Amino acid sequence: RIFQEPYWLFFPLGIFCGFIGIGHWLVYAIGFANAYSSYMHASIQMQTYMICFIGGFLITAMPRLAQAKPASLIETGGLMFFIFGILSSLLAAKWVPANLFFTASLLWLLFFGFRRAMSSHRTVKVNPPVEFLWVLIALIHGILGSLLFLAGTSKIAGSWAILTGKSMTQHGFVLAVVLGVGGFLAPRLMGTFK
């Protein structure tokens, strides 16, 4: 059942990551740490907490919408590996590996969606919902934002790349996912879809 509905793994993991993200502030507030990193907090929330919910939803919903086979053990395990890589890198304040894992997780989701869209196991051709174009934009946005951040931190580009990359991964990525998934689900949940 877990591979039929991988969100059973990813949603609880997302809640765990969310507690880790806010726990950073709690540790500082009660005096166990002398400083806090707002970048670490935001990155844990966007790159682990959100990717757990977004990835869990996508690898559960995409096969159903495409009438394709569900996620395999390797596909589910690969995404889990990348999420744990992001989390452990962020907790160790290793920003470059964290962003590489984040980029890899988004590429993993992109290829997962592409494989399901091109699946030959379907008996009827099914076009993906038009709202899911926003999900594609979100994945590309997150990948480019992460690469810009990496270019800025490694001095290949100026500080503008760090600021732009952070905004793209922490705001633009999530906004585009919300527009895509919300645009798809809202009319169906409210009974206004025709």
Side-chain angles (χ1 to χ4, degrees), residues 41-136:
H41 164 74
S43 295
I44 289 174
Q45 297 300 82
M46 292 300 117
Q47 294 181 0
T48 62
Y49 171 78
M50 291 302 293
I51 202 73
C52 283
F53 287 97
I54 292 165
F57 172 78
L58 290 177
I59 69 171
T60 301
M62 278 194 282
R64 291 180 181 177
L65 293 172
Q67 295 180 355
K69 63 180 181 175
S72 68
L73 172 63
I74 292 173
E75 291 166 330
T76 303
L79 186 57
M80 294 281 280
F81 170 78
F82 293 130
I83 291 168
F84 280 115
I86 297 165
L87 184 61
S88 60
S89 297
L90 288 172
L91 290 175
K94 304 290 185 191
W95 313 130
V96 171
N99 277 281
L100 289 172
F101 278 119
F102 180 65
T103 303
S105 70
L106 296 180
L107 287 169
W108 193 261
L109 286 172
L110 188 65
F111 290 127
F112 176 84
F114 181 76
R115 283 192 303 268
R116 291 310 180 273
M118 298 294 129
S119 175
S120 61
H121 300 287
R122 297 182 302 212
T123 55
V124 179
K125 180 164 173 45
V126 178
N127 291 323
V130 70
E131 296 91 353
F132 272 40
L133 180 61
W134 280 107
V135 174
L136 176 63

Side-chain angles (χ1 to χ4, degrees), residues 170-185:
Q170 294 179 356
H171 305 294
F173 166 67
V174 175
L175 177 62
V177 168
V178 169
L179 288 172
V181 174
F184 174 76
L185 289 178

